[in-house]
Amino acid sequence: MSAARDAGMTPASALASDSTAAPEATSGFANTAIDSTGLMPSGLEPTPRGVAAGRWLGWRRRALVVLALLGCVGLFALLRALSATPFVDAAWRTNAKGQLVLASSGDPDVQKFIGETVLGVVSPDGRLLPTEVLLARRSPRWVLDDAERRRQLADGAAFAAVVQQGAVRLQLAESGATVEVRTVPRGYAGLGSMFWLMTALALVFYLIGAVVVLVQPDERNLLYGVAALAQTTHLLLIGLDTLSAFGVPARWAHLDLWLRIACDVVTSAACVHALSVHPRRLPFQGLIAVAAWAVGLGFIATVGLNQIPRLWWWVQTMHLGYFAAGYVVLTWSYRLEPHPMVIVMRRLGLAVLAILLLLTAAIALSQPNPEVQQFAAGPGALIWYVFQASALMLVPFLSRSQQVMREFTLLAGISAVATSLDLLFVAVFALGQFTSHTLALFLALGLYAGARQWMLNLLMGSNMLTTERMFESLYRIAREIETAGGDSTEHFARLMRELFEPLELSHTSRSAGGARVVGDGSTMVVPLPRVPGVPEENQPRGSLVLRFARRGRRMFTRDDARLTDRVLEQLVRAVAFDRAVEQGRNEERARIAQDLHDDIGARLLTLMYKAQSPEMEDYVRHTLQDLKTLTRGLAASSHLLSHASAEWKADITQRLEAAHCELDWSFDFDRDVNLTVVQWSALTRMLRELINNVIVHAEAGCVDVSGRFERGRFTLLVSDDGAGRKPEDWAHGLGLGGIRKRVKLLGGEVRWRENSPRGVTCEIRVPELGERP
C-alpha cells in the first residue's frame, strides 16, 4: 500500500521533492547516512532543474484535471444509464413473519391490493421467482453455497428479463390473484441514498489514487493507484447491490462475479507488491512481486475459465493468505530498518486481517441459517468493503493528522466488527435479534474506545514531552545559546533530540521556510532559525533532518512540524529576551557603579580627610578601596581570573591582618580566562562571607585559601583552625544560604566538612567557569 513520497497529497508538495537536489550531510549528528532524496521543502532559490520541475508540475495538474473529468463523466454516464432502467412502481415492507407485503404503488389498478402478502414474481415461463428479487440483492461474491449462488444469479437474470417487458406480475397470497404492476424509469431519486453514498466514496477513492500516482509516479504509488482503481470498481458494484428490484442480465451475471473476485485479488496482490518496496526495498523483492502477481492472476484466470467448487472458501483463503503475506513482509522490513511507517502499517494490517477472519468465521458458522446468510452477503459485505476502502484511503494521510479520515476508518472498522459479532452470536449461540444486536454493539463500542487511543498513540506517541519539561528544555537551551556564542546548531539539535528522540539526526546545508514532514512520516526537516545578537558568520545555517521519532516507534505528523516551528520561534524569542535582560542588567550595574563612585566615594574621601585619628583614617581608606573595587567590578563586563584572584588576595590579607590572623594563599590555573560579571560577583561575595565567618565565629589563627582552575573546572577551598565543628548542624541563615544560592547560580556545588584536629573546610566546585567561546 503505497503513498506519496513526501506524505503530502498535493502536487505542490511534490514539486519540492522533484525540483531540488538531495541535501548534503555536513555534520556528524548521525552515524547512519540517510537517503535525503525528496526531503527539501519548497521556497528554495530557483534552479534550471526547478524550472523543469515547474513544467512537470503543470503537466501533472493538467493530468489530474483530465482524470477527474473522466471520472466524473464516467460516473455521470453510469448514473444516467441506471436512472433509465425499468423500476417496479411499488414499495414494500416486511411483516412479523419476515414476508414481503405490498405497501404502496403509483398504479391505480394495484392500489386496491395494498396490504397483501407477495408470494413472488411470475416469470414468462410460469416459474415463481422469490420475493428477494424485488429487494436489494446479495453480493454473489459473499454467497457461501455454490448452488445458492447459481440460483441467485439465475433468478436475477430472469427478473431482468421480466422488467424489460414493461410490467411485472406479482402473485399475492390473501386474494390468490396475480396482479400486474407496470414499470417506470427508475430516475435519479429511485437510486437510493445508499447508492449515492457508495458512488461518492468510490469517486473520492478514485481521485485519491490519481493524486497519489501523479504526485510521485514511481513503482509504489502506481501500485497504490492499481489498488485504488480495483476498490473503486468494487465500491461501484456494491452500490449496484443496494438498488432494489435490479436484475443483472444473464450475459453479465458471470462477469459480475468474476469482476468482484478479480478486484479483491488485484487489491491484495498490489498491496503485497507495494509493501515489498515501501518503506524500503526488500531483498528478493522481485521474487516476492512475481509470486504475488502470478498466484493472483492465475487464480483470476482459473475463476474466469472454470467453475470452481467451494468458490467462496477459495476466495477467502486467497484473501487471508495475501494479508498474512503482507504482515510477514512488513515484519521482515522492520527487522531490516525500524521504520515507524512499518509499525503503523503492520498494526493496521493486523486489524484488517482480524476483522476479515472474524467476518469469515461468522459467515461460515451461519451457513445453516438462510436469513443470517442473506444479511451477511448484503449489509455485511457492504460494511466490510467500506472499511477496507477507508483503510486504504487512510494510508497516504497517516502522517498528515487527517482526523476525519482516521475517525471514519475507525468507525467503519468497528461497524464491521459489530456486524461480524452479531452474525457470530446468532449462528453459534442462537441468541435473539435484540440480544445479539445489544451485545455486539456493546463490545464494538469498547473496541472503538481502545482502538482510537491505540491509533493516536501510534501517530502522536504515548510518551510525549510534557509542557513543563518542554519549557524547562526551552529555558535551558536558551541560556546555553545566550552564554555560549558561536554556532548554536548543536544546541538546536539537542532540543530536537529531547522533543522527539529521533533514531537518526543529521545536518544538511540546504535551508527552508519551515518545518516539514516528508518520507511518509519517517522524516522531518527542521530549518535552523537565526539567533538574535549573533554575528552573521556565527549564525546557524541549513536544516536538521530527523528520522524515526521515538526511536522508530512513531511517525512524524504535521502537528509535529507546527509544534517545532512554534518551539523554535519561542526559543529565539527567549534568547532575544535574555540578551535584552542581560543588557539591561549591565546598564543598571554601570549606573549603580557610577552613582556609588560619584556620591558614596566622594563622601568617604571627605570623611578620610576629616578623620580624628590615624586608625579612623586608615579604616576609611580601606573602605574607600573596597568601594573602588566594587564599582570597578560592576562597571566591567568581564574580569580576568588572574586579576580577580589578586584583588581577592589583597582584600582578604587586609581584613585578616586587622583580625591578627595569618593567611596561606595558593592559586593555580592552567590558563587565564575571563569571568563574567555574574561569576566575578558571586565568587567575590562568597569569599567575603567565608572570611567574615572565620573572623566573627571561628576565632581562627590561620586561614588557608587555595584555588585551582583546570580544563574549565574551578575548585575553591577555604580552611581554618578555629572553633567551628559539626557543620551539618549549622543553621543556614542569610550568610550560608547566600553562599549556597550563589554556588547554584554558577551551576556548582558546595559542602562543609570538619578538619582534624580543629577547624572547618568549605569546598566549592564549579564545573564550568569563564566566558564560553
Side-chain angles (χ1 to χ4, degrees):
M1 288 173 280
S2 175
R5 178 178 297 275
D6 62 347
M9 299 313 301
T10 61
S13 63
L15 173 58
S17 61
D18 289 340
S19 61
T20 57
E24 175 188 0
T26 58
S27 301
F29 288 98
N31 296 325
T32 306
I34 66 170
D35 176 16
S36 302
T37 304
L39 295 186
M40 299 316 301
S42 57
L44 302 177
E45 296 181 0
T47 63
R49 185 181 178 185
V51 174
R55 292 194 293 268
W56 171 232
L57 173 62
W59 181 89
R60 286 188 292 179
R61 283 178 174 169
R62 290 192 292 272
L64 179 61
V65 171
V66 170
L67 290 176
L69 288 176
L70 287 176
C72 293
V73 169
L75 183 60
F76 178 75
L78 175 65
L79 296 175
R80 184 176 178 83
L82 290 175
S83 66
T85 58
F87 175 70
V88 179
D89 188 15
W92 328 96
R93 61 179 176 85
T94 56
N95 58 21
K97 298 180 180 180
Q99 297 172 319
L100 202 65
V101 176
L102 180 62
S104 63
S105 177
D107 191 342
D109 296 333
V110 181
Q111 291 179 357
K112 61 183 178 181
F113 297 102
I114 291 177
E116 290 202 33
T117 303
V118 181
L119 297 178
V121 177
V122 181
S123 65
D125 58 1
R127 185 164 59 95
L128 190 64
L129 301 179
T131 56
E132 65 179 60
V133 299
L134 298 172
L135 305 174
R137 70 179 190 138
R138 293 180 289 167
S139 171
R141 152 76 175 84
W142 289 86
V143 176
L144 190 148
D145 185 69
D146 294 338
E148 176 65 19
R149 186 186 311 107
R150 287 192 294 269
R151 184 198 64 78
Q152 176 190 328
L153 294 176
D155 289 342
F159 181 75
V162 169
V163 295
Q164 293 298 329
Q165 297 177 358
V168 174
R169 291 188 299 161
L170 303 179
Q171 181 68 48
L172 304 180
E174 286 79 4
S175 63
T178 300
V179 60
E180 188 173 273
V181 183
R182 61 183 174 85
T183 59
V184 295
R186 185 180 298 270
Y188 292 107
L191 296 177
S193 58
M194 187 58 66
F195 176 81
W196 287 104
L197 178 62
M198 298 304 295
T199 52
L201 186 62
L203 181 61
V204 170
F205 201 1
Y206 166 79
L207 293 176
I208 289 176
V211 171
V212 169
V213 172
L214 291 174
V215 162
Q216 188 69 35
D218 56 8
E219 181 181 1
R220 56 185 176 178
N221 287 348
L222 289 174
L223 291 168
Y224 183 87
V226 170
L229 185 60
Q231 285 302 298
T232 299
T233 304
H234 213 146
L235 288 173
L236 290 176
L237 293 174
I238 291 294
L240 294 178
D241 291 339
T242 64
L243 299 177
S244 60
F246 181 77
V248 177
R251 63 180 181 276
W252 297 109
H254 185 69
L255 178 62
D256 174 46
L257 174 62
W258 177 85
L259 188 59
R260 293 170 191 263
I261 296 174
C263 288
D264 277 346
V265 175
V266 167
T267 300
S268 301
C271 290
V272 173
H273 185 175
L275 293 176
S276 67
V277 298
H278 177 74
R280 64 160 295 154
R281 189 173 293 273
L282 297 177
F284 309 106
Q285 179 273 325
L287 184 61
I288 296 173
V290 169
W293 285 109
V295 172
L297 295 178
F299 182 77
I300 292 173
T302 304
V303 172
L305 298 175
N306 302 281
Q307 292 288 338
I308 301 178
R310 303 179 67 83
L311 179 61
W312 183 84
W313 290 99
W314 282 104
V315 176
Q316 289 302 100
T317 301
M318 182 73 65
H319 213 28
L320 292 169
Y322 272 117
F323 274 110
Y327 185 83
V328 172
V329 167
L330 285 172
T331 302
W332 186 14
S333 177
Y334 187 76
R335 290 182 178 179
L336 295 177
E337 182 182 34
H339 198 296
M341 186 71 173
V342 175
I343 296 180
V344 177
M345 294 296 299
R346 187 171 61 178
R347 294 183 180 177
L348 183 62
L350 186 61
V352 175
L353 177 60
I355 293 175
L356 181 60
L357 275 171
L358 184 62
L359 184 60
T360 301
I363 294 176
L365 294 173
S366 62
Q367 184 174 6
N369 193 327
E371 294 183 357
V372 177
Q373 281 281 304
Q374 185 172 359
F375 178 81
L382 183 147
I383 293 172
W384 159 252
Y385 282 112
V386 169
F387 167 61
Q388 182 176 252
S390 61
L392 282 172
M393 282 191 288
L394 177 66
V395 172
F397 300 97
L398 283 173
S399 64
R400 298 180 65 84
S401 302
Q402 295 291 338
Q403 185 175 0
V404 174
M405 185 71 71
R406 188 170 61 240
E407 295 293 338
F408 179 75
T409 303
L410 287 174
L411 287 173
I414 296 306
S415 299
V417 171
T419 302
S420 303
L421 290 175
D422 187 20
L423 295 174
L424 201 61
F425 292 150
V426 173
V428 177
F429 304 106
L431 297 179
Q433 185 177 13
F434 177 78
T435 304
S436 65
H437 286 352
T438 304
L439 189 56
L441 181 62
F442 177 77
L443 292 176
L445 288 176
L447 287 174
Y448 170 75
R452 185 179 186 278
Q453 189 60 44
W454 172 66
M455 181 66 75
L456 290 176
N457 289 343
L458 282 178
L459 298 178
M460 304 304 296
S462 57
N463 189 28
M464 291 296 292
L465 199 66
T466 62
T467 304
E468 182 179 358
R469 286 181 56 200
M470 185 183 300
F471 276 103
E472 288 178 357
S473 300
L474 269 176
Y475 178 77
R476 186 182 69 258
I477 298 297
R479 293 293 300 171
E480 291 177 358
I481 293 175
E482 194 272 333
T483 57
D487 192 354
S488 54
T489 301
E490 179 59 40
H491 301 291
F492 288 115
R494 186 161 64 253
L495 177 62
M496 292 298 102
R497 288 192 184 99
E498 293 179 4
L499 285 176
F500 300 109
E501 299 179 21
L503 196 62
E504 299 175 11
L505 192 150
S506 62
H507 179 250
T508 175
S509 59
R510 296 295 184 93
S511 59
R516 180 185 176 206
V517 177
V518 294
D520 296 338
S522 65
T523 307
M524 183 168 66
V525 181
V526 181
L528 293 172
R530 294 180 59 85
V531 180
V534 174
E536 185 63 30
E537 60 272 14
N538 291 331
Q539 286 287 351
R541 291 178 173 82
S543 303
L544 297 176
V545 180
L546 287 69
R547 295 195 77 197
F548 309 142
R550 292 288 177 267
R551 314 298 297 174
R553 294 189 298 272
R554 65 173 288 260
M555 302 171 61
F556 289 108
T557 65
R558 288 195 300 179
D559 289 337
D560 292 329
R562 285 192 289 266
L563 173 65
T564 301
D565 286 335
R566 300 298 181 269
V567 166
L568 293 181
E569 179 184 349
Q570 293 302 319
L571 180 59
V572 171
R573 288 183 179 179
V575 172
F577 177 78
D578 277 354
R579 292 188 185 277
V581 169
E582 188 60 31
Q583 181 180 356
R585 287 174 178 172
N586 291 335
E587 293 175 354
E588 186 65 14
R589 290 192 192 101
R591 187 190 64 79
I592 293 174
Q594 190 66 44
D595 291 344
L596 288 174
H597 179 273
D598 295 343
D599 296 338
I600 306 301
R603 292 178 180 274
L604 287 175
L605 185 61
T606 301
L607 183 61
M608 183 182 68
Y609 288 131
K610 293 182 178 182
Q612 302 297 323
S613 63
E615 291 80 4
M616 178 60 70
E617 180 182 352
D618 189 57
Y619 181 80
V620 174
R621 181 179 290 107
H622 284 297
T623 303
L624 185 59
Q625 183 63 38
D626 290 343
L627 179 62
K628 289 181 178 180
T629 301
L630 176 62
T631 55
R632 187 168 59 250
L634 289 174
S637 59
S638 61
H639 304 262
L640 284 173
L641 180 59
S642 58
H643 294 174
S645 62
E647 293 176 354
W648 295 335
K649 181 180 180 181
D651 177 65
I652 293 173
T653 300
Q654 182 267 326
R655 299 176 65 194
L656 290 180
E657 285 179 353
H660 307 288
C661 184
E662 295 182 3
L663 171 64
D664 289 335
W665 177 272
S666 64
F667 215 96
D668 300 323
F669 43 88
D670 56 1
R671 59 186 176 90
D672 205 1
V673 295
N674 274 320
L675 303 179
T676 65
V677 174
V678 174
Q679 293 170 346
W680 174 85
S681 176
L683 291 173
T684 299
R685 283 165 172 75
M686 285 190 293
L687 274 171
R688 285 185 175 178
E689 181 61 31
L690 290 172
I691 298 303
N692 282 343
N693 289 340
V694 170
I695 295 173
V696 176
H697 302 293
E699 300 177 358
C702 181
V703 177
D704 183 4
V705 179
S706 64
R708 183 175 184 83
F709 179 77
E710 184 177 8
R711 289 181 294 182
R713 298 179 180 179
F714 179 70
T715 303
L716 178 65
L717 296 174
V718 179
S719 304
D720 65 73
D721 59 355
R725 309 299 289 173
K726 295 184 178 180
E728 63 273 8
D729 295 336
W730 292 353
H732 292 267
L734 293 177
L736 298 182
I739 293 175
R740 288 186 179 276
K741 290 180 181 179
R742 290 188 173 95
V743 172
K744 184 177 180 180
L745 179 64
L746 299 180
E749 56 183 15
V750 59
R751 64 189 184 95
W752 286 265
R753 65 175 184 270
E754 292 183 355
N755 290 335
S756 179
R758 287 171 54 82
V760 174
T761 296
C762 177
E763 181 179 8
I764 297 174
R765 294 180 180 272
V766 180
E768 296 184 26
L769 193 66
E771 291 183 329
R772 297 185 181 182

